[in-house]
Each structure stands twice: as structure tokens, then as C-alpha cells.
Amino acid sequence: MAVPTAPEPFRPASPLFLREPEIRKGVELLYFGYSHLTRAIDEGLAAKGLGRAHHRALYFIARQPGLTVSQLLALLAITKQSLGRVLTELTERGLVEMRPGDRDRRQRLLRLTAEGAALEAALFEALRERLSAAYQSAGQGAVGGFWAVLEGLVPADERAKVAALGR
Amino acid sequence: MAVPTAPEPFRPASPLFLREPEIRKGVELLYFGYSHLTRAIDEGLAAKGLGRAHHRALYFIARQPGLTVSQLLALLAITKQSLGRVLTELTERGLVEMRPGDRDRRQRLLRLTAEGAALEAALFEALRERLSAAYQSAGQGAVGGFWAVLEGLVPADERAKVAALGR
DNA sequence: AGAACAGGTCAACATGGCTGTCCCGACCGC
DNA sequence: GCGGTCGGGACAGCCATGTTGACCTGTTCT
């Protein structure tokens, strides 16, 4: 791939948008776009002494109040221990509270406290600013394409969970 | 109203695609899409005992053979020390080689060895598979929108560096 | 009653960021 | 040609966040 004289792989009928340059462009934009979006909240997080891992938990709890630890674990795709640390810190700081489920008392239903909700909202505002600016500069038509490609990157089974977030 | 204190979001005329649900959808798809794409290479990386940090360096060196350490640093947006560790390991393993610049002999020009290029190509293949499947399922029209939104997330000055990768 | 399950916890470890400090050799402007 | 700046490297140490495996408690289900 580095040398222009290398034997060309000969992909005859592949459409232009599937050639290597287009794939590389997608990989790079995804990397830089994701980086810049996540950086948008670092300052707000640092002011509270929290990290990105805390934000991810806050975000999904805000999104699905009352979800169980298992559900959160499935969304984040990390281990119980990693999540445990984060959740302990968030509850100690009074940002998250957990109550036993009434249907199944083994479960802990997670929700944000008022303070947690306020923090999540403030952080979301930073994300909103950046992403809505991007939506606007790209135009409404582009947004659908943006979603469609990203949905294609998510395996079908997980796609259901993601879609269910917008309950 | 003399006191405009509470910054109530109240965005009356904002188009549908800029409302909170659409922003949340974008945030979530970006998170899950990015996660799944990067996971595509973890197996190949683990087989070589390398991590994602190594891959990012390999990737950009493959993309711009002969780039300097400073340029790579600017792309990755990490510290000299963090990159130093990665680069040392990659050169020790014979995947990357560095030569002094001829215009400025302080510089180290980075390039992949044959072995490094082979590894990068193999890892890229995994990315290509996932992303081209997503491109295909979304359709050619969607890809342009995908790029446009992501470009909007990248600050203007950095956008130039990113675009220059496809030299 | 006993198995399976939700959740928590401990110890130990890996990765990949970070800071601050210091150093060398090369380049450039006066 | 000398002093300042620059490209790059290296030290020590810290922190956040991920991992594993083992084990415990209480609850639910059969």
C-alpha cells in the first residue's frame, strides 16, 4: 500500500465509494470526529474530578432511568469490576442513586439524582453544541446518511438495544 | 422580563434534526459505531502483543510515509512521552524505521518496514471489511452525508491536516 | 431444596494517557 | 561563530480505566 509500484489488488467491479481511499477517509474522519466530540466534555468533567468513564455511565442512566446494572453493563461492554468502581464513585458523590427493583429485588435500578441530572445536562449541552453545528454545516440531508452508515457499523443485535434508548 | 437568569433552552425555530433526540441519536451511534469499528482490529493486534496505540501510529505512518515525529504527534494529539514509548516498541520489533531528514537532520522521518506494512495492511483489511459493509448497507448517497457531518466535527485548522493525509 | 442469577468485592495486573525535568545535537539569526 | 530555539529522546512517577479470577450474599425459579 505504501509503494505505487506494488501489485494492484485488482478489484474490478467495486464501486468507487468502496475503494481504499474512501475507506481510509471514513476511518480517519471517524477517528478525528469522535476524538473532537469526546474532548468537548473533558473540561467540564475535569472540573468535577470525573473521567470519561463516569460520563458514559451518567449518560446512559440519564437516557434510561431505572435501568439495571446488567443492562448498563451490556451497553458499555466492560467488566463488572470496571463499572463497579465508577458506579461506587458516582453514588458516593451523590450523582447516582440505586434502589432495589420491585419486580426482582436482586436488581439495582439506577437513576440520577437532581445533581447528577444537572451535571449530565451540562455535559450534554457541550456535545449538543458541537454536533448540532456539524449537523447544520452538513445539512439536513447529510444527517440521514451519517446515521445510516453508523448503523451499518453496529451489529444487528446490538442495534436493537441502541434504538431502544430513545424509548 | 428584567432578569434573564435561568438559561432555559427554549429553541423555538430549531429544525427537527437539531432537537435533542436527534443529537442523542448521533452521539450514541457515533459511540457504538466507533467502538465496533475499533474492536475489529483488537484480535489481530493482540496476536502480535500490540495495543491500539501502536495501531494508530502504524496507521498514520502507513498513510504518510516519511512524516516526522512532530507531525505524528500533532495528528495523534498525545504527549511526546506517550508516543515515544509506542515508537520505541515499534522500532524494536522491526515494524517501523526512522532515518534522519536530509533537509533538517534533527528530524526523524518515519516509515514502515516491509513487515510493518504487512501488519498494517492486515489490520486495515479488518477495518475495510466492516466499513465497506456499512457503506454498502447505507448506500452511496449516505456516504457523502456521513463524511460531511464528521468533517463538521473537526475544527477547521485540523481539517486541513486530515485532508492532507490522502495526499 | 438446590441451581441459577443479580450484584458486589478483593487482589493483582496491563495499557496508555499525563506531568516535570533534563539532555543532546542541529539549525538559524545576529 | 555564538547563543537561542527547535526536534527529538529519556528519566521518574502518577492516574484513569480497562482486564482476570475467585468468592460472597441474597433472591428467584424449578
Side-chain angles (χ1 to χ4, degrees):
Chain A
M1 308 298 155
V3 190
T5 57
E8 199 47 47
F10 186 62
R11 278 182 286 277
S14 69
L16 287 184
F17 76 107
L18 291 181
R19 296 259 188 79
E20 176 166 338
E22 281 71 31
I23 303 294
R24 295 244 181 226
K25 180 172 180 177
V27 169
E28 289 149 23
L29 281 175
L30 207 37
Y31 170 70
F32 289 110
Y34 182 80
S35 294
H36 287 287
L37 185 65
T38 57
R39 257 167 225 156
I41 60 166
D42 283 353
E43 196 180 326
L45 242 18
K48 296 276 182 179
L50 299 173
R52 289 184 185 174
H54 301 96
H55 176 248
R56 288 194 285 272
L58 278 181
Y59 183 96
F60 287 116
I61 297 173
R63 201 68 171 117
Q64 264 192 330
L67 91 173
T68 66
V69 171
S70 298
Q71 287 173 323
L72 184 52
L73 230 27
L75 285 170
L76 295 174
I78 58 175
T79 58
K80 219 176 14 163
Q81 289 66 17
S82 299
L83 179 58
R85 257 192 316 233
V86 166
L87 239 32
T88 301
E89 285 166 10
L90 290 175
T91 54
E92 279 172 358
R93 272 178 168 74
L95 299 170
V96 165
E97 57 186 13
M98 27 179 87
R99 303 176 347 198
D102 23 53
R103 193 202 51 193
D104 181 340
R105 285 182 328 200
R106 290 173 303 182
Q107 299 177 330
R108 305 301 182 97
L109 308 186
L110 303 165
R111 51 185 67 248
L112 300 186
T113 62
E115 195 189 342
L119 175 57
E120 197 281 331
L123 294 172
F124 177 70
E125 186 54 21
L127 296 177
R128 198 193 60 71
E129 275 170 27
R130 297 228 183 173
L131 193 49
S132 75
Y135 277 5
Q136 260 169 321
S137 81
Q140 179 162 12
V143 176
F146 172 71
W147 289 339
V149 172
L150 290 174
E151 272 161 9
L153 280 176
V154 179
D157 50 339
E158 187 146 344
R159 220 172 295 160
K161 264 186 307 209
V162 176
L165 286 174
R167 72 216 163 283
Chain B
M1 288 326 190
V3 191
T5 45
E8 194 51 43
F10 185 63
R11 279 177 288 278
S14 68
L16 287 183
F17 76 107
L18 290 182
R19 296 259 187 77
E20 175 165 337
E22 281 71 30
I23 302 295
R24 295 243 180 227
K25 180 172 180 176
V27 170
E28 288 150 24
L29 281 175
L30 205 38
Y31 170 70
F32 289 109
Y34 182 81
S35 294
H36 286 287
L37 185 65
T38 56
R39 257 167 225 153
I41 60 167
D42 284 353
E43 198 180 324
L45 241 19
K48 296 276 181 176
L50 300 173
R52 289 185 185 174
H54 301 96
H55 175 247
R56 288 195 284 272
L58 277 180
Y59 183 95
F60 287 116
I61 297 172
R63 202 66 172 118
Q64 262 191 332
L67 90 173
T68 66
V69 171
S70 299
Q71 287 173 322
L72 185 52
L73 229 29
L75 285 170
L76 295 174
I78 57 176
T79 58
K80 219 173 24 162
Q81 289 69 17
S82 299
L83 179 58
R85 261 193 313 234
V86 166
L87 239 32
T88 302
E89 285 166 12
L90 290 174
T91 53
E92 278 171 359
R93 273 178 167 74
L95 299 171
V96 166
E97 57 186 13
M98 30 179 87
R99 303 176 346 201
D102 22 55
R103 193 201 51 189
D104 182 339
R105 283 182 329 198
R106 289 173 304 180
Q107 299 177 331
R108 306 302 181 94
L109 307 186
L110 302 165
R111 51 186 68 249
L112 300 184
T113 62
E115 194 188 343
L119 174 57
E120 196 281 331
L123 294 172
F124 177 71
E125 186 54 22
L127 296 178
R128 198 193 59 72
E129 276 171 26
R130 297 228 184 171
L131 193 49
S132 76
Y135 277 4
Q136 260 168 321
S137 79
Q140 178 162 12
V143 176
F146 172 71
W147 289 339
V149 172
L150 289 174
E151 273 161 9
L153 281 175
V154 179
D157 49 339
E158 187 146 344
R159 218 172 295 160
K161 265 185 306 206
V162 175
L165 287 172
R167 75 218 156 283

PDB file of all heavy atoms in Angstrom, chain A residues 7-8 60 96 119 135:
ATOM      1  N   PRO A   7       1.881  -4.499  -6.635  1.00  0.00           N
ATOM      2  CA  PRO A   7       0.887  -5.175  -7.465  1.00  0.00           C
ATOM      3  C   PRO A   7      -0.525  -4.750  -7.072  1.00  0.00           C
ATOM      4  O   PRO A   7      -0.930  -4.896  -5.934  1.00  0.00           O
ATOM      5  CB  PRO A   7       1.118  -6.653  -7.154  1.00  0.00           C
ATOM      6  CG  PRO A   7       1.964  -6.689  -5.936  1.00  0.00           C
ATOM      7  CD  PRO A   7       2.740  -5.427  -5.928  1.00  0.00           C
ATOM      8  N   GLU A   8      -1.230  -4.220  -7.992  1.00  0.00           N
ATOM      9  CA  GLU A   8      -2.583  -3.720  -7.725  1.00  0.00           C
ATOM     10  C   GLU A   8      -3.527  -4.882  -7.457  1.00  0.00           C
ATOM     11  O   GLU A   8      -3.562  -5.849  -8.224  1.00  0.00           O
ATOM     12  CB  GLU A   8      -3.056  -2.908  -8.942  1.00  0.00           C
ATOM     13  CG  GLU A   8      -4.210  -1.978  -8.643  1.00  0.00           C
ATOM     14  CD  GLU A   8      -3.984  -1.162  -7.383  1.00  0.00           C
ATOM     15  OE1 GLU A   8      -2.869  -0.599  -7.253  1.00  0.00           O
ATOM     16  OE2 GLU A   8      -4.880  -1.114  -6.546  1.00  0.00           O
ATOM     17  N   PHE A  60     -25.880   7.112  30.009  1.00  0.00           N
ATOM     18  CA  PHE A  60     -26.850   6.043  29.754  1.00  0.00           C
ATOM     19  C   PHE A  60     -27.892   5.944  30.865  1.00  0.00           C
ATOM     20  O   PHE A  60     -29.024   5.545  30.616  1.00  0.00           O
ATOM     21  CB  PHE A  60     -26.142   4.712  29.530  1.00  0.00           C
ATOM     22  CG  PHE A  60     -25.459   4.639  28.197  1.00  0.00           C
ATOM     23  CD1 PHE A  60     -24.078   4.523  28.107  1.00  0.00           C
ATOM     24  CD2 PHE A  60     -26.202   4.705  27.013  1.00  0.00           C
ATOM     25  CE1 PHE A  60     -23.452   4.468  26.871  1.00  0.00           C
ATOM     26  CE2 PHE A  60     -25.573   4.653  25.775  1.00  0.00           C
ATOM     27  CZ  PHE A  60     -24.199   4.537  25.707  1.00  0.00           C
ATOM     28  N   VAL A  96     -25.662   9.588  41.477  1.00  0.00           N
ATOM     29  CA  VAL A  96     -26.476   8.456  41.057  1.00  0.00           C
ATOM     30  C   VAL A  96     -27.049   7.799  42.311  1.00  0.00           C
ATOM     31  O   VAL A  96     -26.383   7.761  43.344  1.00  0.00           O
ATOM     32  CB  VAL A  96     -25.603   7.436  40.289  1.00  0.00           C
ATOM     33  CG1 VAL A  96     -26.304   6.093  40.156  1.00  0.00           C
ATOM     34  CG2 VAL A  96     -25.227   7.974  38.921  1.00  0.00           C
ATOM     35  N   LEU A 119     -25.664  17.756  36.101  1.00  0.00           N
ATOM     36  CA  LEU A 119     -24.344  17.585  35.504  1.00  0.00           C
ATOM     37  C   LEU A 119     -24.450  16.967  34.118  1.00  0.00           C
ATOM     38  O   LEU A 119     -23.821  17.436  33.164  1.00  0.00           O
ATOM     39  CB  LEU A 119     -23.465  16.709  36.406  1.00  0.00           C
ATOM     40  CG  LEU A 119     -22.096  16.370  35.826  1.00  0.00           C
ATOM     41  CD1 LEU A 119     -21.308  17.633  35.491  1.00  0.00           C
ATOM     42  CD2 LEU A 119     -21.296  15.508  36.805  1.00  0.00           C
ATOM     43  N   TYR A 135     -24.158  19.084  12.249  1.00  0.00           N
ATOM     44  CA  TYR A 135     -25.385  18.780  11.511  1.00  0.00           C
ATOM     45  C   TYR A 135     -25.737  19.952  10.596  1.00  0.00           C
ATOM     46  O   TYR A 135     -26.100  19.772   9.441  1.00  0.00           O
ATOM     47  CB  TYR A 135     -26.549  18.566  12.485  1.00  0.00           C
ATOM     48  CG  TYR A 135     -26.667  17.190  13.107  1.00  0.00           C
ATOM     49  CD1 TYR A 135     -25.714  16.193  12.894  1.00  0.00           C
ATOM     50  CD2 TYR A 135     -27.750  16.882  13.925  1.00  0.00           C
ATOM     51  CE1 TYR A 135     -25.845  14.944  13.495  1.00  0.00           C
ATOM     52  CE2 TYR A 135     -27.892  15.637  14.526  1.00  0.00           C
ATOM     53  CZ  TYR A 135     -26.937  14.670  14.310  1.00  0.00           C
ATOM     54  OH  TYR A 135     -27.079  13.436  14.897  1.00  0.00           O
TER      55      TYR A 135
END
